[in-house]
PDB file of all heavy atoms in Angstrom:
ATOM      1  N   THR W   1       0.552 -16.263  -1.847  1.00 95.00           N
ATOM      2  CA  THR W   1       1.940 -16.721  -1.952  1.00 95.00           C
ATOM      3  C   THR W   1       2.923 -15.571  -1.751  1.00 95.00           C
ATOM      4  O   THR W   1       2.537 -14.406  -1.661  1.00 95.00           O
ATOM      5  CB  THR W   1       2.226 -17.350  -3.338  1.00 95.00           C
ATOM      6  OG1 THR W   1       2.350 -16.297  -4.310  1.00 95.00           O
ATOM      7  CG2 THR W   1       1.119 -18.302  -3.758  1.00 95.00           C
ATOM      8  N   GLY W   2       4.191 -15.916  -1.757  1.00 95.00           N
ATOM      9  CA  GLY W   2       5.234 -14.926  -1.592  1.00 95.00           C
ATOM     10  C   GLY W   2       5.360 -13.968  -2.762  1.00 95.00           C
ATOM     11  O   GLY W   2       6.032 -12.943  -2.654  1.00 95.00           O
ATOM     12  N   PHE W   3       4.705 -14.285  -3.887  1.00 97.00           N
ATOM     13  CA  PHE W   3       4.756 -13.360  -5.019  1.00 97.00           C
ATOM     14  C   PHE W   3       4.054 -12.048  -4.659  1.00 97.00           C
ATOM     15  O   PHE W   3       4.441 -10.980  -5.144  1.00 97.00           O
ATOM     16  CB  PHE W   3       4.110 -13.982  -6.259  1.00 97.00           C
ATOM     17  CG  PHE W   3       4.349 -13.190  -7.519  1.00 97.00           C
ATOM     18  CD1 PHE W   3       5.602 -13.161  -8.113  1.00 97.00           C
ATOM     19  CD2 PHE W   3       3.331 -12.461  -8.099  1.00 97.00           C
ATOM     20  CE1 PHE W   3       5.827 -12.421  -9.263  1.00 97.00           C
ATOM     21  CE2 PHE W   3       3.535 -11.716  -9.249  1.00 97.00           C
ATOM     22  CZ  PHE W   3       4.797 -11.702  -9.841  1.00 97.00           C
ATOM     23  N   THR W   4       3.043 -12.139  -3.800  1.00 96.00           N
ATOM     24  CA  THR W   4       2.401 -10.923  -3.292  1.00 96.00           C
ATOM     25  C   THR W   4       3.442 -10.053  -2.586  1.00 96.00           C
ATOM     26  O   THR W   4       3.480  -8.831  -2.773  1.00 96.00           O
ATOM     27  CB  THR W   4       1.273 -11.286  -2.305  1.00 96.00           C
ATOM     28  OG1 THR W   4       0.208 -11.924  -3.012  1.00 96.00           O
ATOM     29  CG2 THR W   4       0.725 -10.053  -1.601  1.00 96.00           C
ATOM     30  N   SER W   5       4.304 -10.670  -1.784  1.00 97.00           N
ATOM     31  CA  SER W   5       5.345  -9.931  -1.073  1.00 97.00           C
ATOM     32  C   SER W   5       6.356  -9.319  -2.027  1.00 97.00           C
ATOM     33  O   SER W   5       6.863  -8.218  -1.785  1.00 97.00           O
ATOM     34  CB  SER W   5       6.062 -10.856  -0.080  1.00 97.00           C
ATOM     35  OG  SER W   5       5.171 -11.298   0.916  1.00 97.00           O
ATOM     36  N   VAL W   6       6.661 -10.037  -3.111  1.00 97.00           N
ATOM     37  CA  VAL W   6       7.586  -9.495  -4.110  1.00 97.00           C
ATOM     38  C   VAL W   6       7.010  -8.210  -4.714  1.00 97.00           C
ATOM     39  O   VAL W   6       7.718  -7.212  -4.877  1.00 97.00           O
ATOM     40  CB  VAL W   6       7.865 -10.537  -5.216  1.00 97.00           C
ATOM     41  CG1 VAL W   6       8.661  -9.900  -6.356  1.00 97.00           C
ATOM     42  CG2 VAL W   6       8.621 -11.735  -4.655  1.00 97.00           C
ATOM     43  N   ILE W   7       5.716  -8.223  -5.024  1.00 97.00           N
ATOM     44  CA  ILE W   7       5.053  -7.038  -5.576  1.00 97.00           C
ATOM     45  C   ILE W   7       5.097  -5.886  -4.571  1.00 97.00           C
ATOM     46  O   ILE W   7       5.371  -4.733  -4.925  1.00 97.00           O
ATOM     47  CB  ILE W   7       3.596  -7.355  -5.963  1.00 97.00           C
ATOM     48  CG1 ILE W   7       3.545  -8.401  -7.076  1.00 97.00           C
ATOM     49  CG2 ILE W   7       2.867  -6.086  -6.390  1.00 97.00           C
ATOM     50  CD1 ILE W   7       4.208  -7.974  -8.364  1.00 97.00           C
ATOM     51  N   ILE W   8       4.855  -6.200  -3.294  1.00 97.00           N
ATOM     52  CA  ILE W   8       4.902  -5.170  -2.239  1.00 97.00           C
ATOM     53  C   ILE W   8       6.301  -4.554  -2.180  1.00 97.00           C
ATOM     54  O   ILE W   8       6.457  -3.328  -2.121  1.00 97.00           O
ATOM     55  CB  ILE W   8       4.540  -5.770  -0.869  1.00 97.00           C
ATOM     56  CG1 ILE W   8       3.107  -6.314  -0.872  1.00 97.00           C
ATOM     57  CG2 ILE W   8       4.699  -4.713   0.241  1.00 97.00           C
ATOM     58  CD1 ILE W   8       2.784  -7.200   0.326  1.00 97.00           C
ATOM     59  N   ALA W   9       7.332  -5.414  -2.213  1.00 97.00           N
ATOM     60  CA  ALA W   9       8.712  -4.933  -2.146  1.00 97.00           C
ATOM     61  C   ALA W   9       9.045  -4.053  -3.349  1.00 97.00           C
ATOM     62  O   ALA W   9       9.718  -3.018  -3.210  1.00 97.00           O
ATOM     63  CB  ALA W   9       9.674  -6.120  -2.071  1.00 97.00           C
ATOM     64  N   VAL W  10       8.583  -4.445  -4.532  1.00 96.00           N
ATOM     65  CA  VAL W  10       8.814  -3.653  -5.743  1.00 96.00           C
ATOM     66  C   VAL W  10       8.166  -2.272  -5.592  1.00 96.00           C
ATOM     67  O   VAL W  10       8.744  -1.247  -5.971  1.00 96.00           O
ATOM     68  CB  VAL W  10       8.273  -4.376  -6.992  1.00 96.00           C
ATOM     69  CG1 VAL W  10       8.270  -3.437  -8.194  1.00 96.00           C
ATOM     70  CG2 VAL W  10       9.107  -5.609  -7.293  1.00 96.00           C
ATOM     71  N   CYS W  11       6.957  -2.245  -5.026  1.00 94.00           N
ATOM     72  CA  CYS W  11       6.265  -0.968  -4.798  1.00 94.00           C
ATOM     73  C   CYS W  11       7.051  -0.080  -3.844  1.00 94.00           C
ATOM     74  O   CYS W  11       7.146   1.145  -4.051  1.00 94.00           O
ATOM     75  CB  CYS W  11       4.857  -1.219  -4.246  1.00 94.00           C
ATOM     76  SG  CYS W  11       3.691  -1.914  -5.450  1.00 94.00           S
ATOM     77  N   PHE W  12       7.635  -0.681  -2.812  1.00 95.00           N
ATOM     78  CA  PHE W  12       8.461   0.104  -1.885  1.00 95.00           C
ATOM     79  C   PHE W  12       9.719   0.632  -2.588  1.00 95.00           C
ATOM     80  O   PHE W  12      10.176   1.746  -2.312  1.00 95.00           O
ATOM     81  CB  PHE W  12       8.858  -0.737  -0.670  1.00 95.00           C
ATOM     82  CG  PHE W  12       7.862  -0.697   0.458  1.00 95.00           C
ATOM     83  CD1 PHE W  12       7.135  -1.827   0.803  1.00 95.00           C
ATOM     84  CD2 PHE W  12       7.652   0.462   1.177  1.00 95.00           C
ATOM     85  CE1 PHE W  12       6.213  -1.795   1.843  1.00 95.00           C
ATOM     86  CE2 PHE W  12       6.735   0.513   2.220  1.00 95.00           C
ATOM     87  CZ  PHE W  12       6.009  -0.622   2.548  1.00 95.00           C
ATOM     88  N   MET W  13      10.285  -0.179  -3.500  1.00 95.00           N
ATOM     89  CA  MET W  13      11.444   0.282  -4.270  1.00 95.00           C
ATOM     90  C   MET W  13      11.080   1.507  -5.112  1.00 95.00           C
ATOM     91  O   MET W  13      11.796   2.503  -5.137  1.00 95.00           O
ATOM     92  CB  MET W  13      11.936  -0.845  -5.197  1.00 95.00           C
ATOM     93  CG  MET W  13      12.599  -2.007  -4.506  1.00 95.00           C
ATOM     94  SD  MET W  13      13.116  -3.259  -5.720  1.00 95.00           S
ATOM     95  CE  MET W  13      13.432  -4.657  -4.625  1.00 95.00           C
ATOM     96  N   ILE W  14       9.949   1.402  -5.800  1.00 92.00           N
ATOM     97  CA  ILE W  14       9.496   2.511  -6.647  1.00 92.00           C
ATOM     98  C   ILE W  14       9.214   3.749  -5.810  1.00 92.00           C
ATOM     99  O   ILE W  14       9.498   4.881  -6.226  1.00 92.00           O
ATOM    100  CB  ILE W  14       8.233   2.087  -7.434  1.00 92.00           C
ATOM    101  CG1 ILE W  14       8.578   0.962  -8.420  1.00 92.00           C
ATOM    102  CG2 ILE W  14       7.630   3.274  -8.185  1.00 92.00           C
ATOM    103  CD1 ILE W  14       7.375   0.333  -9.090  1.00 92.00           C
ATOM    104  N   SER W  15       8.686   3.524  -4.604  1.00 89.00           N
ATOM    105  CA  SER W  15       8.320   4.664  -3.746  1.00 89.00           C
ATOM    106  C   SER W  15       9.532   5.505  -3.353  1.00 89.00           C
ATOM    107  O   SER W  15       9.400   6.689  -3.040  1.00 89.00           O
ATOM    108  CB  SER W  15       7.613   4.165  -2.482  1.00 89.00           C
ATOM    109  OG  SER W  15       8.511   3.485  -1.615  1.00 89.00           O
ATOM    110  N   LEU W  16      10.728   4.908  -3.365  1.00 90.00           N
ATOM    111  CA  LEU W  16      11.939   5.663  -3.060  1.00 90.00           C
ATOM    112  C   LEU W  16      12.136   6.823  -4.038  1.00 90.00           C
ATOM    113  O   LEU W  16      12.655   7.877  -3.681  1.00 90.00           O
ATOM    114  CB  LEU W  16      13.162   4.738  -3.111  1.00 90.00           C
ATOM    115  CG  LEU W  16      13.413   3.855  -1.888  1.00 90.00           C
ATOM    116  CD1 LEU W  16      14.456   2.795  -2.214  1.00 90.00           C
ATOM    117  CD2 LEU W  16      13.862   4.689  -0.700  1.00 90.00           C
ATOM    118  N   PHE W  17      11.704   6.612  -5.273  1.00 87.00           N
ATOM    119  CA  PHE W  17      11.870   7.633  -6.310  1.00 87.00           C
ATOM    120  C   PHE W  17      10.635   8.522  -6.480  1.00 87.00           C
ATOM    121  O   PHE W  17      10.715   9.594  -7.059  1.00 87.00           O
ATOM    122  CB  PHE W  17      12.178   6.966  -7.651  1.00 87.00           C
ATOM    123  CG  PHE W  17      13.417   6.114  -7.631  1.00 87.00           C
ATOM    124  CD1 PHE W  17      13.335   4.755  -7.378  1.00 87.00           C
ATOM    125  CD2 PHE W  17      14.665   6.680  -7.840  1.00 87.00           C
ATOM    126  CE1 PHE W  17      14.480   3.971  -7.355  1.00 87.00           C
ATOM    127  CE2 PHE W  17      15.811   5.899  -7.811  1.00 87.00           C
ATOM    128  CZ  PHE W  17      15.721   4.541  -7.565  1.00 87.00           C
ATOM    129  N   PHE W  18       9.486   8.025  -6.000  1.00 78.00           N
ATOM    130  CA  PHE W  18       8.240   8.758  -6.208  1.00 78.00           C
ATOM    131  C   PHE W  18       7.600   9.158  -4.878  1.00 78.00           C
ATOM    132  O   PHE W  18       6.388   9.060  -4.701  1.00 78.00           O
ATOM    133  CB  PHE W  18       7.264   7.904  -7.025  1.00 78.00           C
ATOM    134  CG  PHE W  18       7.731   7.627  -8.418  1.00 78.00           C
ATOM    135  CD1 PHE W  18       8.504   6.515  -8.700  1.00 78.00           C
ATOM    136  CD2 PHE W  18       7.424   8.495  -9.453  1.00 78.00           C
ATOM    137  CE1 PHE W  18       8.952   6.264  -9.992  1.00 78.00           C
ATOM    138  CE2 PHE W  18       7.862   8.246 -10.748  1.00 78.00           C
ATOM    139  CZ  PHE W  18       8.635   7.126 -11.014  1.00 78.00           C
ATOM    140  N   SER W  19       8.428   9.625  -3.950  1.00 71.00           N
ATOM    141  CA  SER W  19       7.921   9.989  -2.632  1.00 71.00           C
ATOM    142  C   SER W  19       6.832  11.062  -2.664  1.00 71.00           C
ATOM    143  O   SER W  19       5.927  11.031  -1.814  1.00 71.00           O
ATOM    144  CB  SER W  19       9.073  10.435  -1.725  1.00 71.00           C
ATOM    145  OG  SER W  19       9.802  11.486  -2.321  1.00 71.00           O
ATOM    146  N   PRO W  20       6.855  12.035  -3.611  1.00 72.00           N
ATOM    147  CA  PRO W  20       5.776  13.038  -3.611  1.00 72.00           C
ATOM    148  C   PRO W  20       4.384  12.443  -3.809  1.00 72.00           C
ATOM    149  O   PRO W  20       3.396  12.968  -3.294  1.00 72.00           O
ATOM    150  CB  PRO W  20       6.151  13.959  -4.784  1.00 72.00           C
ATOM    151  CG  PRO W  20       7.627  13.829  -4.909  1.00 72.00           C
ATOM    152  CD  PRO W  20       7.902  12.383  -4.583  1.00 72.00           C
ATOM    153  N   ILE W  21       4.293  11.334  -4.561  1.00 71.00           N
ATOM    154  CA  ILE W  21       2.994  10.728  -4.827  1.00 71.00           C
ATOM    155  C   ILE W  21       2.392  10.130  -3.553  1.00 71.00           C
ATOM    156  O   ILE W  21       1.176  10.021  -3.413  1.00 71.00           O
ATOM    157  CB  ILE W  21       3.125   9.634  -5.918  1.00 71.00           C
ATOM    158  CG1 ILE W  21       3.513  10.282  -7.239  1.00 71.00           C
ATOM    159  CG2 ILE W  21       1.829   8.860  -6.094  1.00 71.00           C
ATOM    160  CD1 ILE W  21       3.671   9.315  -8.384  1.00 71.00           C
ATOM    161  N   LEU W  22       3.253   9.741  -2.603  1.00 67.00           N
ATOM    162  CA  LEU W  22       2.766   9.088  -1.388  1.00 67.00           C
ATOM    163  C   LEU W  22       1.871  10.010  -0.561  1.00 67.00           C
ATOM    164  O   LEU W  22       1.089   9.545   0.264  1.00 67.00           O
ATOM    165  CB  LEU W  22       3.947   8.623  -0.532  1.00 67.00           C
ATOM    166  CG  LEU W  22       4.789   7.500  -1.135  1.00 67.00           C
ATOM    167  CD1 LEU W  22       6.007   7.236  -0.277  1.00 67.00           C
ATOM    168  CD2 LEU W  22       3.964   6.235  -1.303  1.00 67.00           C
ATOM    169  N   SER W  23       1.964  11.305  -0.797  1.00 66.00           N
ATOM    170  CA  SER W  23       1.144  12.245  -0.033  1.00 66.00           C
ATOM    171  C   SER W  23      -0.342  12.059  -0.304  1.00 66.00           C
ATOM    172  O   SER W  23      -1.176  12.491   0.486  1.00 66.00           O
ATOM    173  CB  SER W  23       1.553  13.688  -0.356  1.00 66.00           C
ATOM    174  OG  SER W  23       1.332  13.979  -1.732  1.00 66.00           O
ATOM    175  N   VAL W  24      -0.694  11.411  -1.423  1.00 74.00           N
ATOM    176  CA  VAL W  24      -2.116  11.226  -1.747  1.00 74.00           C
ATOM    177  C   VAL W  24      -2.712  10.049  -0.974  1.00 74.00           C
ATOM    178  O   VAL W  24      -3.935   9.905  -0.904  1.00 74.00           O
ATOM    179  CB  VAL W  24      -2.343  11.024  -3.262  1.00 74.00           C
ATOM    180  CG1 VAL W  24      -1.725  12.156  -4.052  1.00 74.00           C
ATOM    181  CG2 VAL W  24      -1.792   9.679  -3.743  1.00 74.00           C
ATOM    182  N   ILE W  25      -1.852   9.199  -0.410  1.00 74.00           N
ATOM    183  CA  ILE W  25      -2.362   8.033   0.331  1.00 74.00           C
ATOM    184  C   ILE W  25      -2.562   8.453   1.782  1.00 74.00           C
ATOM    185  O   ILE W  25      -1.703   8.272   2.633  1.00 74.00           O
ATOM    186  CB  ILE W  25      -1.389   6.837   0.229  1.00 74.00           C
ATOM    187  CG1 ILE W  25      -1.099   6.513  -1.234  1.00 74.00           C
ATOM    188  CG2 ILE W  25      -1.978   5.612   0.925  1.00 74.00           C
ATOM    189  CD1 ILE W  25      -0.012   5.483  -1.439  1.00 74.00           C
ATOM    190  N   THR W  26      -3.706   9.030   2.059  1.00 78.00           N
ATOM    191  CA  THR W  26      -4.003   9.525   3.404  1.00 78.00           C
ATOM    192  C   THR W  26      -4.628   8.426   4.252  1.00 78.00           C
ATOM    193  O   THR W  26      -5.070   7.386   3.741  1.00 78.00           O
ATOM    194  CB  THR W  26      -4.967  10.719   3.325  1.00 78.00           C
ATOM    195  OG1 THR W  26      -6.215  10.268   2.771  1.00 78.00           O
ATOM    196  CG2 THR W  26      -4.403  11.829   2.454  1.00 78.00           C
ATOM    197  N   LEU W  27      -4.691   8.665   5.545  1.00 78.00           N
ATOM    198  CA  LEU W  27      -5.285   7.687   6.454  1.00 78.00           C
ATOM    199  C   LEU W  27      -6.762   7.472   6.138  1.00 78.00           C
ATOM    200  O   LEU W  27      -7.283   6.354   6.268  1.00 78.00           O
ATOM    201  CB  LEU W  27      -5.124   8.164   7.902  1.00 78.00           C
ATOM    202  CG  LEU W  27      -3.679   8.246   8.421  1.00 78.00           C
ATOM    203  CD1 LEU W  27      -3.665   8.777   9.840  1.00 78.00           C
ATOM    204  CD2 LEU W  27      -3.002   6.885   8.361  1.00 78.00           C
ATOM    205  N   GLU W  28      -7.466   8.533   5.718  1.00 87.00           N
ATOM    206  CA  GLU W  28      -8.889   8.409   5.393  1.00 87.00           C
ATOM    207  C   GLU W  28      -9.110   7.511   4.180  1.00 87.00           C
ATOM    208  O   GLU W  28     -10.124   6.822   4.081  1.00 87.00           O
ATOM    209  CB  GLU W  28      -9.494   9.797   5.104  1.00 87.00           C
ATOM    210  CG  GLU W  28      -9.594  10.707   6.311  1.00 87.00           C
ATOM    211  CD  GLU W  28      -8.301  11.425   6.623  1.00 87.00           C
ATOM    212  OE1 GLU W  28      -7.355  11.327   5.799  1.00 87.00           O
ATOM    213  OE2 GLU W  28      -8.213  12.082   7.678  1.00 87.00           O
ATOM    214  N   VAL W  29      -8.154   7.508   3.255  1.00 86.00           N
ATOM    215  CA  VAL W  29      -8.270   6.694   2.041  1.00 86.00           C
ATOM    216  C   VAL W  29      -8.160   5.206   2.351  1.00 86.00           C
ATOM    217  O   VAL W  29      -8.882   4.378   1.791  1.00 86.00           O
ATOM    218  CB  VAL W  29      -7.184   7.122   1.019  1.00 86.00           C
ATOM    219  CG1 VAL W  29      -7.032   6.078  -0.081  1.00 86.00           C
ATOM    220  CG2 VAL W  29      -7.539   8.476   0.416  1.00 86.00           C
ATOM    221  N   THR W  30      -7.240   4.847   3.256  1.00 80.00           N
ATOM    222  CA  THR W  30      -7.039   3.430   3.577  1.00 80.00           C
ATOM    223  C   THR W  30      -7.947   2.938   4.700  1.00 80.00           C
ATOM    224  O   THR W  30      -8.034   1.736   4.942  1.00 80.00           O
ATOM    225  CB  THR W  30      -5.574   3.173   3.972  1.00 80.00           C
ATOM    226  OG1 THR W  30      -5.230   4.004   5.091  1.00 80.00           O
ATOM    227  CG2 THR W  30      -4.634   3.487   2.819  1.00 80.00           C
ATOM    228  N   ALA W  31      -8.638   3.849   5.375  1.00 85.00           N
ATOM    229  CA  ALA W  31      -9.510   3.462   6.486  1.00 85.00           C
ATOM    230  C   ALA W  31     -10.569   2.427   6.088  1.00 85.00           C
ATOM    231  O   ALA W  31     -10.767   1.432   6.803  1.00 85.00           O
ATOM    232  CB  ALA W  31     -10.173   4.705   7.087  1.00 85.00           C
ATOM    233  N   PRO W  32     -11.289   2.594   4.957  1.00 88.00           N
ATOM    234  CA  PRO W  32     -12.295   1.594   4.584  1.00 88.00           C
ATOM    235  C   PRO W  32     -11.720   0.193   4.424  1.00 88.00           C
ATOM    236  O   PRO W  32     -12.358  -0.798   4.817  1.00 88.00           O
ATOM    237  CB  PRO W  32     -12.833   2.128   3.245  1.00 88.00           C
ATOM    238  CG  PRO W  32     -12.585   3.594   3.300  1.00 88.00           C
ATOM    239  CD  PRO W  32     -11.286   3.739   4.027  1.00 88.00           C
ATOM    240  N   ALA W  33     -10.505   0.097   3.861  1.00 81.00           N
ATOM    241  CA  ALA W  33      -9.876  -1.215   3.678  1.00 81.00           C
ATOM    242  C   ALA W  33      -9.651  -1.895   5.020  1.00 81.00           C
ATOM    243  O   ALA W  33      -9.934  -3.093   5.185  1.00 81.00           O
ATOM    244  CB  ALA W  33      -8.551  -1.057   2.925  1.00 81.00           C
ATOM    245  N   LEU W  34      -9.161  -1.147   6.002  1.00 80.00           N
ATOM    246  CA  LEU W  34      -8.893  -1.734   7.324  1.00 80.00           C
ATOM    247  C   LEU W  34     -10.189  -2.152   8.014  1.00 80.00           C
ATOM    248  O   LEU W  34     -10.249  -3.205   8.668  1.00 80.00           O
ATOM    249  CB  LEU W  34      -8.130  -0.733   8.189  1.00 80.00           C
ATOM    250  CG  LEU W  34      -6.746  -0.311   7.673  1.00 80.00           C
ATOM    251  CD1 LEU W  34      -6.090   0.650   8.646  1.00 80.00           C
ATOM    252  CD2 LEU W  34      -5.857  -1.525   7.449  1.00 80.00           C
ATOM    253  N   ILE W  35     -11.235  -1.350   7.864  1.00 87.00           N
ATOM    254  CA  ILE W  35     -12.522  -1.682   8.483  1.00 87.00           C
ATOM    255  C   ILE W  35     -13.074  -2.986   7.914  1.00 87.00           C
ATOM    256  O   ILE W  35     -13.523  -3.866   8.660  1.00 87.00           O
ATOM    257  CB  ILE W  35     -13.529  -0.530   8.274  1.00 87.00           C
ATOM    258  CG1 ILE W  35     -13.066   0.724   9.028  1.00 87.00           C
ATOM    259  CG2 ILE W  35     -14.927  -0.930   8.745  1.00 87.00           C
ATOM    260  CD1 ILE W  35     -13.819   1.989   8.650  1.00 87.00           C
ATOM    261  N   ILE W  36     -13.027  -3.112   6.602  1.00 85.00           N
ATOM    262  CA  ILE W  36     -13.556  -4.309   5.933  1.00 85.00           C
ATOM    263  C   ILE W  36     -12.709  -5.531   6.252  1.00 85.00           C
ATOM    264  O   ILE W  36     -13.229  -6.618   6.538  1.00 85.00           O
ATOM    265  CB  ILE W  36     -13.616  -4.092   4.415  1.00 85.00           C
ATOM    266  CG1 ILE W  36     -14.640  -3.014   4.064  1.00 85.00           C
ATOM    267  CG2 ILE W  36     -13.962  -5.396   3.697  1.00 85.00           C
ATOM    268  CD1 ILE W  36     -16.064  -3.354   4.433  1.00 85.00           C
ATOM    269  N   VAL W  37     -11.397  -5.366   6.217  1.00 76.00           N
ATOM    270  CA  VAL W  37     -10.496  -6.489   6.489  1.00 76.00           C
ATOM    271  C   VAL W  37     -10.714  -7.015   7.906  1.00 76.00           C
ATOM    272  O   VAL W  37     -10.679  -8.236   8.149  1.00 76.00           O
ATOM    273  CB  VAL W  37      -9.033  -6.056   6.283  1.00 76.00           C
ATOM    274  CG1 VAL W  37      -8.079  -7.064   6.894  1.00 76.00           C
ATOM    275  CG2 VAL W  37      -8.752  -5.908   4.800  1.00 76.00           C
ATOM    276  N   GLY W  38     -10.955  -6.109   8.854  1.00 82.00           N
ATOM    277  CA  GLY W  38     -11.240  -6.538  10.218  1.00 82.00           C
ATOM    278  C   GLY W  38     -12.430  -7.474  10.264  1.00 82.00           C
ATOM    279  O   GLY W  38     -12.446  -8.454  11.018  1.00 82.00           O
ATOM    280  N   THR W  39     -13.426  -7.204   9.427  1.00 84.00           N
ATOM    281  CA  THR W  39     -14.608  -8.068   9.353  1.00 84.00           C
ATOM    282  C   THR W  39     -14.226  -9.480   8.948  1.00 84.00           C
ATOM    283  O   THR W  39     -14.687 -10.466   9.536  1.00 84.00           O
ATOM    284  CB  THR W  39     -15.618  -7.505   8.332  1.00 84.00           C
ATOM    285  OG1 THR W  39     -15.938  -6.157   8.681  1.00 84.00           O
ATOM    286  CG2 THR W  39     -16.891  -8.332   8.298  1.00 84.00           C
ATOM    287  N   PHE W  40     -13.369  -9.586   7.928  1.00 77.00           N
ATOM    288  CA  PHE W  40     -12.950 -10.911   7.463  1.00 77.00           C
ATOM    289  C   PHE W  40     -12.206 -11.679   8.555  1.00 77.00           C
ATOM    290  O   PHE W  40     -12.403 -12.887   8.738  1.00 77.00           O
ATOM    291  CB  PHE W  40     -12.042 -10.777   6.229  1.00 77.00           C
ATOM    292  CG  PHE W  40     -12.733 -10.223   5.017  1.00 77.00           C
ATOM    293  CD1 PHE W  40     -12.055  -9.392   4.140  1.00 77.00           C
ATOM    294  CD2 PHE W  40     -14.057 -10.518   4.754  1.00 77.00           C
ATOM    295  CE1 PHE W  40     -12.688  -8.871   3.022  1.00 77.00           C
ATOM    296  CE2 PHE W  40     -14.699 -10.012   3.635  1.00 77.00           C
ATOM    297  CZ  PHE W  40     -14.023  -9.184   2.761  1.00 77.00           C
ATOM    298  N   MET W  41     -11.345 -10.978   9.284  1.00 77.00           N
ATOM    299  CA  MET W  41     -10.536 -11.650  10.293  1.00 77.00           C
ATOM    300  C   MET W  41     -11.359 -12.080  11.503  1.00 77.00           C
ATOM    301  O   MET W  41     -11.078 -13.116  12.125  1.00 77.00           O
ATOM    302  CB  MET W  41      -9.385 -10.740  10.722  1.00 77.00           C
ATOM    303  CG  MET W  41      -8.436 -10.392   9.589  1.00 77.00           C
ATOM    304  SD  MET W  41      -7.030  -9.390  10.104  1.00 77.00           S
ATOM    305  CE  MET W  41      -6.062 -10.627  10.954  1.00 77.00           C
TER     306      MET W  41
END
């Protein structure tokens, strides 16, 4: 549902203030999620 989108938007709002933390989210960290999700699709 759209509540998932609301949570995503809230996370983006928070990220405006916590930009230094975003450096830990590297491409290698999210790579497994994209590989697995591709399988589902």
Side-chain angles (χ1 to χ4, degrees):
T1 76
F3 191 72
T4 292
S5 296
V6 172
I7 297 299
I8 298 167
V10 169
C11 289
F12 272 113
M13 289 180 195
I14 295 171
S15 70
L16 280 167
F17 301 94
F18 295 90
S19 55
I21 294 180
L22 293 174
S23 62
V24 306
I25 305 172
T26 64
L27 295 178
E28 291 82 8
V29 165
T30 58
L34 298 182
I35 294 168
I36 294 297
V37 165
T39 305
F40 294 145
M41 298 183 74

